[in-house]
Amino acid sequence: MAITIGLTTWTEHPSLLGGTKKLTLSEYAGFFPVVEVDTAFYAIPKPLVVHNWRLQVPASFQFIVKANGIITKHERVTEFDLPATVNAFRAAFQELHDHGQLQAVLLQFPPFFTVSRENILYLRQLRDLFGDWPLTVEWRNNTWYKPALVKESMLLLQELHMSLTIADEPATQGNSVPFYPAVTDQQQAFFRLHGRNLAGWQNPGAGWRRKRTLYRYNDQELHDIAAAVEKVAAQTQTTTIIFNNNAGGDAADNALMLQKILGLSFTDLNPRQLGLDI
């Protein structure tokens, strides 16, 4: 049983260095052993870019890579070549996979990705196209969690060797998904913590994407999350928690707090700059 903690992106956490400076990947890797990379959601990087990432981190450092938005149907493209897009994505990150540093591809689906025969077949198609690559699914439509369907949803992921991304987000009256700490893959489990800023989550508008993750977990909330993490970790080989509450710079502080609560010590990190150990 292993538990790891990381953050979304590596640049947006200046509190780790005690200031306002954006971090480099090398600096980030002095604090945490895993990072979620979201840039590929917007544009698939060139393999050389990914190669340069590897040069900045220890050999054991892990990357969770968010799938391109076309692959997860965020882009409402009527006609596109899905196999070609997945192949391009795989080519970009093949080096991470070959060196055992690709912890998972995050398939975060949009709110309109409901339970349907078409979407179940689409998940099966993605498994076929990605081959043996590790995949974790974050649903953002609550039909997958309806009492009459949730067991089948979990069995589907289990059959496809996909882990459920256990999301923590504000509980809205509309289409929010519940905090559902289920294990569908004995190899890996993932928590993705967005914060609980209900007002920011419900009011899209200017700067919405930033405001919705403006939240700082308090001590009791982190202890509750830690309890859920420990229960899940007892059922899997590796459990990873990613803090995505970045808008106010709270993710890094919350991650360090949770690390302390869980009593975790990360080894094989990059050396930190003199005087910055905490």
Side-chain angles (χ1 to χ4, degrees):
M1 178 180 87
I3 301 173
T4 62
I5 300 175
L7 311 173
T8 303
T9 78
W10 56 79
T11 60
E12 299 179 4
H13 313 289
S15 65
L16 291 174
L17 298 181
T20 58
K21 173 184 174 291
K22 288 189 175 183
L23 271 69
T24 65
L25 177 55
S26 177
E27 290 170 333
Y28 172 93
F31 293 88
F32 297 106
V34 60
V35 71
E36 179 189 308
V37 182
D38 284 358
T39 52
F41 176 81
Y42 304 99
I44 299 173
K46 295 181 178 179
L48 180 59
V49 172
V50 179
H51 173 73
N52 288 333
W53 293 347
R54 281 197 61 248
L55 298 181
Q56 300 178 58
V57 298
S60 61
F61 188 90
Q62 297 292 302
F63 294 85
I64 300 168
V65 182
K66 192 173 183 180
N68 184 261
I70 291 178
I71 294 172
T72 51
K73 294 194 171 185
H74 282 78
E75 302 292 335
R76 294 177 183 267
V77 181
T78 55
E79 292 186 12
F80 70 98
D81 190 334
L82 179 62
T85 304
V86 172
N87 285 340
F89 186 91
R90 290 184 53 167
F93 296 101
Q94 188 69 48
E95 183 173 343
L96 294 184
H97 179 267
D98 292 347
H99 286 81
Q101 290 184 268
L102 179 68
Q103 187 168 357
V105 175
L106 168 62
L107 300 171
Q108 185 199 53
F109 290 99
F112 51 82
F113 190 83
T114 62
V115 172
S116 67
R117 182 176 183 276
E118 176 187 356
N119 287 338
I120 290 171
L121 290 175
Y122 191 76
L123 286 170
R124 295 185 184 280
Q125 185 180 12
L126 288 180
R127 170 44 77 201
D128 290 341
L129 291 173
F130 273 102
D132 65 350
W133 281 36
L135 303 175
T136 182
V137 172
E138 181 176 356
W139 284 313
R140 297 171 65 200
N141 184 288
N142 61 25
T143 58
W144 299 93
Y145 295 94
K146 294 295 184 184
L149 297 174
V150 65
K151 183 177 180 180
E152 295 301 321
S153 297
M154 299 304 130
L155 287 174
L156 173 65
L157 293 183
Q158 185 176 345
E159 177 195 343
L160 296 177
H161 302 288
M162 296 177 177
S163 62
L164 172 71
T165 299
I166 302 162
D168 185 67
E169 62 184 46
T172 69
Q173 294 182 348
N175 196 33
S176 65
V177 300
F179 184 70
Y180 195 83
V183 174
T184 61
D185 183 349
Q186 293 183 347
Q187 301 296 316
Q188 299 190 99
F190 295 91
F191 287 77
R192 198 161 183 256
L193 310 179
H194 300 288
R196 301 173 183 177
N197 181 358
L198 181 60
W201 201 265
Q202 286 184 312
N203 295 290
W208 174 68
R209 292 189 179 278
R210 296 288 300 175
K211 293 177 182 177
R212 66 177 178 167
T213 60
L214 181 60
Y215 189 82
R216 188 178 187 89
Y217 287 95
N218 63 38
D219 187 68
Q220 184 58 58
E221 289 169 336
L222 290 174
H223 274 84
D224 292 343
I225 290 169
V229 168
E230 289 174 331
K231 288 181 180 179
V232 166
Q235 305 172 60
T236 59
Q237 291 188 18
T238 302
T239 301
T240 301
I241 308 102
I242 295 294
F243 280 86
N244 189 44
N245 55 326
N246 289 344
D250 296 306
D253 291 347
N254 274 167
L256 293 173
M257 292 167 66
L258 183 63
Q259 180 182 349
K260 184 177 180 180
I261 291 169
L262 290 168
L264 302 178
S265 177
F266 301 131
T267 58
D268 196 22
L269 300 174
N270 275 348
R272 298 184 192 174
Q273 296 181 16
L274 185 63
L276 291 178
D277 284 353
I278 56 175

